[in-house]
Amino acid sequence: QVQLQESGGGSVQSGGSLRLSCAASGNDYRKYCMGWFRQAPGKEREGVATITGLGMTTYTDSVKGRFTISQDGAKNTLYLQMNSLKPEDTAIYYCAAYDTAATGSYEYYSGCGYNKWGQGTQVTVSS
């Protein structure tokens, strides 16, 4: 089974930067998309960025030009570099992957399906 563990969240002022990391382990996930989602208080979870098995990236409009998704060469760690942070970026951020052994429901973002989630890491941006 795929396991995901996020780290790197915290509190910053508007305009600041944070780098989120997601340590991934398990089988097969490297061939599929990995992504970052976020959930703000009182809102539904939304896709933020995704990277395909071939390294193509997509971003939701609100973070384009400010956030960058990447992986290390072995695809053991997924990153989200967040620059020029705004108060509206405040949310719990989740790492996501596709687990061939999982039987739960799927969530789709940017053409990719996800069925495995980390526990989340809080990002708070103050004005």
Side-chain angles (χ1 to χ4, degrees), residues 41-122:
K43 295 186 177 181
E44 293 190 355
R45 186 162 59 190
E46 64 169 347
V48 175
T50 190
I51 185 166
T52 71
L54 297 178
M56 295 180 64
T57 59
T58 57
Y59 301 89
T60 193
D61 286 346
S62 62
V63 308
K64 284 180 181 177
R66 301 188 298 121
F67 290 12
T68 303
I69 187 172
S70 62
Q71 293 173 299
D72 68 348
K75 297 186 180 181
N76 291 328
T77 306
L78 181 71
Y79 301 101
L80 186 68
Q81 178 66 43
M82 305 185 295
N83 299 327
S84 302
L85 282 161
K86 304 175 181 180
E88 50 263 44
D89 294 319
T90 295
I92 299 174
Y93 283 71
Y94 298 91
C95 174
Y98 174 66
D99 184 351
T100 59
T103 58
S105 60
Y106 290 83
E107 188 165 337
Y108 291 92
Y109 169 65
S110 193
C112 296
Y114 298 96
N115 64 355
K116 198 72 174 185
W117 308 88
Q119 86 291 347
T121 186
Q122 177 71 47

